[in-house]
Amino acid sequence: MTGQTHDPAILADGDDWRTRDLAAVWHPCTQMREHPDIQPLLPIERGEGAWLIESGGRRILDSGSSWWTNLHGHAEPRIAEAVARQARTLEQVILAGCTHPGAVELAERLLTIAPREPGRAPLSKVFYADNGSAGVEVALKMAFQWFANRGDEPRRTKFVALHNGYHGETLGALAVGDIPLYRRVYAPLLCEAVFAPSPDAYLARDGQSAAGHAEDAADALAHLLDEHAGEICAMILEPRVQCAGGMRMHDPVYLKRVRELCDVHGIFLIADEIAVGFGRTGTLFACEQAPGDTRSGGAGGIQPDLLCLSKGLTGGFLPLATVLATQVLYDGFLDASRERAFLHSHSYTGNPLACAAALASLRIFESDEVLARNRDTAAKMARLAAQVGSHRHVADTRQAGMIVAFELTRDGDRRTPFDPALRVGLQAYRHAVARGVLLRPLGDILYWMPPYCIDDAQLQLLAEVTAEAIGSATACA
Ligand SMILES: Cc1ncc(COP(=O)(O)O)c(C=O)c1O
């Protein structure tokens, strides 16, 4: 062997690779009939910083960070080295009855950096899972079982979630999600959730401010919680940005109100920061952006009872999820009976390679002062987005830190969507891919959520191609 990282015979010819793929692979979130004609497969051989590199050498800008996972760039050498070192030492060990240094160090580190609210006992325990949906399942089950262990009768069997929210694809996660495309067919299988109006600022009408709309949504939530008092164990939400729901953003005042309401009703607050955690919205965690109590001069930020993290947790290298929990939650499972324990497990829970990647990623946050650098990058993104957003079919341009979204509508009036059959977003995607940018849309919403290492030239390319893609896709719509 020459030390090559792949068999060149497999990758030498992109077309051959595509043909073999379609004969053998069933792709996620894909209508397979659309391959290869409507959506050609991209044969990616390597990654380098913000670039994905096809087998023929063509470079494609990864503007969505490979499903929002990548933070510091593809094949980041320091993370790669940490994973390689770990692989030579301990690649996997059962986490029931055993522990390993990576699991301990990562748990300690996460508890140190987790959102904290003055006067509230901190998040103090870390439970590991191996993907985002599994992390959500863990949080939902923990909340439910805590009340069951306490012996509440009648049982609290419901969760409150938000309209247009998304929390993953497993049945529990789908039950608290509200995107019909993913949910509808499985509805008969799902546990009961109660949906509250979304605080989404795009829904504000008649000159109402984002904060005003968020306050109204919180008032509606208050009614809903009253109506279902005693039936609910937890509320789950994506703080600041409903990502899969179209990068819809809300005013952080909503987070403060939700925290207060969950306290009043004695239910757990689950913050799903799987997509927005680790700096995406400008702060390390989106929960930090909730306003403080100005009357008492208090610091801002809210602390959830359960915090779900995944995606960027490992810098985008390996699947891993964590659920951070309060001591009160943890104590509710301590008992002589095994049945009262939290008996959830996944084979790769707390995998050492994934923990090593996560620790290396967190070290980069410090050594490279990532959050400060992101503030500059986000300011550049804002300037470029203002130009792109001036197109008449862009009804709304919104930004939260390193996330920018463009809402395409028929009249640019924020109300009249394009006929879905036109698949305007898909047309934009096809145009952008041909120009070397992977701009995967959410319906007719285009967005930028790039690796944090994206440079000025790459940002310029991203903006130019997005503007072109919007022009081309809407020209004949
Ligand atoms: C907010 C949120 N929660 C949960 C998930 C599910 O994570 P995974 O795809 O790793 O199962 C996602 C995935 O996009 C997400 O955006």
Side-chain angles (χ1 to χ4, degrees):
M1 284 297 285
T2 58
Q4 282 165 315
T5 53
H6 58 78
D7 176 0
I10 297 178
L11 306 184
D13 178 343
D15 286 338
D16 176 47
W17 193 14
R18 274 187 275 246
T19 308
R20 290 171 59 181
D21 174 290
L22 292 178
V25 181
W26 189 345
H27 286 264
C29 202
T30 299
Q31 173 46 268
M32 290 303 294
R33 268 184 65 166
E34 296 188 352
H35 283 314
D37 299 334
I38 298 177
Q39 291 199 51
L41 274 175
L42 306 178
I44 304 302
E45 184 184 87
R46 289 191 298 121
E48 188 185 299
W51 295 115
L52 294 168
I53 302 166
E54 285 188 338
S55 48
R58 189 171 87 106
R59 286 175 173 250
I60 302 178
L61 191 64
D62 187 4
S63 77
S65 298
S66 288
W67 257 341
W68 321 335
T69 59
N70 190 284
L71 300 189
H72 312 295
H74 288 283
E76 210 292 330
R78 289 164 290 183
I79 304 180
E81 179 50 35
V83 173
R85 206 178 318 121
Q86 183 64 46
R88 288 190 290 268
T89 316
L90 176 69
E91 80 302 335
Q92 160 71 352
V93 63
I94 178 172
L95 202 67
C98 295
T99 189
H100 61 86
V104 177
E105 273 178 41
L106 181 58
E108 288 173 350
R109 191 81 195 93
L110 290 173
L111 294 172
T112 310
I113 60 177
R116 208 167 262 201
E117 200 179 318
R120 193 178 288 276
L123 291 161
S124 65
K125 289 287 183 290
V126 175
F127 191 93
Y128 286 102
D130 52 15
N131 65 78
S133 304
V136 168
E137 300 287 334
V138 165
L140 297 174
K141 285 175 69 178
M142 277 182 177
F144 169 79
Q145 193 181 340
W146 188 89
F147 284 107
N149 281 355
R150 199 174 72 166
D152 275 26
E153 288 293 347
R155 287 280 173 98
R156 291 173 183 249
T157 53
K158 292 182 185 159
F159 298 97
V160 176
L162 292 183
H163 281 304
N164 195 44
Y166 179 84
H167 301 285
E169 297 296 337
T170 50
L171 293 179
L174 269 183
V176 289
D178 181 44
I179 299 188
L181 181 63
Y182 306 134
R183 182 183 212 276
R184 198 181 293 128
V185 65
Y186 305 107
L189 304 180
L190 305 180
C191 69
E192 209 175 336
V194 177
F195 289 94
S198 172
D200 173 6
Y202 186 70
L203 302 178
R205 289 285 174 255
D206 303 325
Q208 194 186 30
S209 68
H213 179 70
E215 293 279 6
D216 285 355
D219 291 343
L221 173 66
H223 285 303
L224 204 71
L225 293 176
D226 285 341
E227 219 176 289
H228 293 276
E231 302 169 7
I232 290 163
C233 38
M235 154 113 200
I236 183 165
L237 87 167
E238 301 158 86
R240 285 291 279 119
V241 188
Q242 293 186 308
C243 292
M247 299 297 162
R248 293 291 185 81
M249 300 173 186
H250 55 257
D251 190 282
V253 74
Y254 187 74
L255 302 175
K256 186 170 183 281
R257 291 283 310 277
V258 166
R259 179 66 274 181
E260 288 163 2
L261 287 167
C262 287
D263 285 343
V264 167
H265 285 269
I267 63 172
F268 294 117
L269 173 56
I270 304 172
D272 176 351
E273 293 225 18
I274 286 164
V276 295
F278 300 103
R280 280 289 175 203
T281 68
T283 46
L284 192 59
F285 298 107
C287 281
E288 295 168 31
Q289 295 177 27
D293 188 341
T294 42
R295 281 162 307 177
S296 61
I302 58 145
Q303 187 186 301
D305 303 297
L306 290 158
L307 174 65
C308 301
L309 303 172
S310 188
K311 290 195 185 272
L313 173 59
T314 60
F317 265 64
L318 284 160
L320 182 69
T322 54
V323 179
L324 277 61
T326 59
Q327 192 66 35
V328 167
L329 251 147
Y330 177 80
D331 287 346
F333 291 78
L334 300 178
D335 196 88
S337 154
R338 281 202 78 210
E339 273 187 28
R340 292 197 177 196
F342 190 58
L343 297 181
H344 187 105
S345 63
H346 298 284
S347 311
Y348 283 94
T349 291
N351 172 258
L353 300 174
C355 290
L359 284 162
S361 171
L362 290 175
R363 283 194 293 273
I364 291 174
F365 269 95
E366 285 186 11
S367 61
D368 294 9
E369 297 183 9
V370 169
L371 292 182
R373 207 185 53 200
N374 280 359
R375 279 194 282 279
D376 289 345
T377 310
K380 290 173 190 161
M381 286 165 71
R383 286 195 286 277
L384 292 165
Q387 294 163 20
V388 175
S390 63
H391 191 280
R392 69 190 175 88
H393 283 294
V394 178
D396 190 40
T397 303
R398 45 186 179 262
Q399 179 172 18
M402 293 293 291
I403 308 175
V404 168
F406 305 97
E407 184 100 21
L408 306 187
T409 63
R410 205 173 66 198
D411 305 317
D413 65 351
R414 297 168 54 124
R415 281 182 194 261
T416 321
F418 283 108
D419 176 354
L422 295 173
R423 302 195 70 181
V424 167
L426 176 66
Q427 303 310 327
Y429 167 83
R430 285 161 55 103
H431 181 97
V433 163
R435 289 277 283 111
V437 174
L438 187 57
L439 193 65
R440 193 181 154 89
L442 292 159
D444 291 343
I445 295 157
L446 306 184
Y447 67 91
W448 303 339
M449 198 162 169
Y452 300 162
C453 61
I454 191 165
D455 66 25
D456 290 357
Q458 290 166 333
L459 278 175
Q460 193 63 42
L461 173 73
L462 178 57
E464 274 170 28
V465 170
T466 306
E468 274 177 25
I470 292 171
S472 150
T474 58
C476 39

